[in-house]
Amino acid sequence: AFIEHIFSPLLFALNSLPGVLIYTFLVSLLWCAGVHGDMTLEGVSSPIFIQFLTANALAYQHGDPLPYITAYGFSSLFVNVGGTGATLTLVLLMLRSRSKTYKELGKVAFPGACFEINEPVIFGFPIVMNPLLMIPFIVVPLILATLSYIFMSVGIIGKPVTMVPWTMPPIIGPLMATGWDWKAGVWSAIEIIIALLMYYPFFKIAEKQMLATEKSTENMADSVKQSV
């Protein structure tokens, strides 16, 4: 009880919209600096989110109102769609890219992205220390977190009630976490579309820069061949 009393302000904060937005922002910002944001904050956040999930599961079993929105699974399944930063959509864009470099990276990153593993994108695109891609990488999760929080608070989609591995693919993961609430699956699919639309203009700028680099490299290679 004493320990819970000490951490009570943090417990309250992480179940509020401002609190979860600050948490989401810090996770993304740390990743942009090359630090594993999720693992860095997990030691503090996971026990709290799991406590929220336990309370939700008990209430769900007894048919009572679910007390917590940001229970374990909220961030990993409803915010980090296809990995932190919702980068599954960036991988989908790379698969259709005119850039050979991005298309090949998309092929390599796609299997992992389906299971929330996105290190190949974060360090390979890269997003780390990339001022252009850092913008959607930080902003998209904040928007998804806000919308998901609002929809859960008004009862449009269910709150997490079941422990689901963070590696569960989009749509399937939210379905399982909410006790098979079909609306959560639909919302997860809509989230992918939202993230895709937000990443698109930034990706096209990066693609244009990469095409210019590839063209310059090809011209340089042709010049070397001709001189030889």
Side-chain angles (χ1 to χ4, degrees), residues 89-151:
T89 54
L90 184 58
V91 174
L92 296 176
L93 290 171
M94 285 193 287
L95 289 173
R96 300 294 301 272
S97 176
R98 293 183 293 124
S99 164
K100 295 179 182 178
T101 303
Y102 285 156
K103 181 169 287 188
E104 290 303 314
L105 178 58
K107 293 177 181 178
V108 171
F110 181 72
C114 292
F115 296 93
E116 309 284 330
I117 300 170
N118 64 345
E119 279 81 355
V121 180
I122 291 177
F123 295 101
F125 193 91
I127 292 174
V128 174
M129 299 300 181
N130 185 335
L132 177 64
L133 267 296
M134 283 169 59
I135 298 173
F137 187 82
I138 293 174
V139 173
V140 170
L142 294 176
I143 292 176
L144 297 183
T146 300
L147 293 176
S148 296
Y149 189 97
I150 292 173
F151 290 157

Side-chain angles (χ1 to χ4, degrees), residues 19-133:
V20 79
L21 288 179
I22 291 173
Y23 169 78
T24 301
F25 173 77
L26 290 175
V27 168
S28 300
L29 187 63
L30 286 170
W31 269 115
C32 290
V35 179
H36 198 305
D38 300 272
M39 293 298 292
T40 302
L41 300 181
E42 188 177 68
V44 175
S45 64
S46 283
I48 295 173
F49 291 147
I50 292 174
Q51 180 178 334
F52 291 168
L53 183 65
T54 302
N56 278 3
L58 291 174
Y60 182 75
Q61 290 176 355
H62 292 89
D64 298 329
L66 305 184
Y68 296 107
I69 294 174
T70 61
Y72 186 88
F74 177 85
S75 292
S76 60
L77 301 173
F78 288 93
V79 179
N80 299 331
V81 183
T84 304
T87 52
L88 172 61
T89 54
L90 184 58
V91 174
L92 296 176
L93 290 171
M94 285 193 287
L95 289 173
R96 300 294 301 272
S97 176
R98 293 183 293 124
S99 164
K100 295 179 182 178
T101 303
Y102 285 156
K103 181 169 287 188
E104 290 303 314
L105 178 58
K107 293 177 181 178
V108 171
F110 181 72
C114 292
F115 296 93
E116 309 284 330
I117 300 170
N118 64 345
E119 279 81 355
V121 180
I122 291 177
F123 295 101
F125 193 91
I127 292 174
V128 174
M129 299 300 181
N130 185 335
L132 177 64
L133 267 296

